[in-house]
Amino acid sequence: LDARAPAAFAAGHIEGAVLFVESDWDASFAALLERWEPGRPVVVYCDSPACGASDRIAARLRQELGVDDIQALAVGWDAWNVVAP
C-alpha cells in the first residue's frame, strides 16, 4: 500500500502497489479490500520513516482487519526508490 499523496503515487510507485490515502480512509479501505488476499502479508509505505503515515495506517489496518501480517516499510519510498528504481 502506498500511503503517499496521489500525485506522488502517479509519479511512481512500487509495482503492484495500491494507493491508500489516510484522509480518505473509507474509499482507500474499500480499494484495499477489493485486492486483499487474507494470509498474504501487506506492506504499507510512505515517503520516509519521518512521515509516520505508514505506521499509523498499518496499525489501524491490523486492528480493523484483526490480522498481524500488515507492516510498515521501515525505510520508506525515498530509500526504496534509490535501492530499486
Side-chain angles (χ1 to χ4, degrees):
L1 297 179
D2 189 322
R4 299 175 304 137
F9 180 83
H13 53 272
I14 295 173
E15 184 177 340
V18 173
L19 179 62
F20 199 104
V21 180
E22 187 176 19
S23 62
D24 193 7
W25 186 270
D26 292 338
S28 294
F29 189 73
L32 167 62
L33 291 180
E34 288 178 11
R35 300 209 23 213
W36 182 53
E37 298 173 29
R40 186 171 183 200
V42 174
V43 177
V44 185
Y45 66 93
C46 54
D47 286 319
S48 71
C51 170
S54 58
D55 290 321
R56 290 189 306 272
I57 291 170
R60 185 170 171 187
L61 287 173
R62 284 192 299 271
Q63 180 181 24
E64 289 195 16
L65 294 171
V67 297
D68 293 326
D69 57 353
I70 300 174
Q71 303 300 320
L73 181 64
V75 297
W77 167 258
D78 292 342
W80 173 275
N81 196 34
V82 170
V83 174

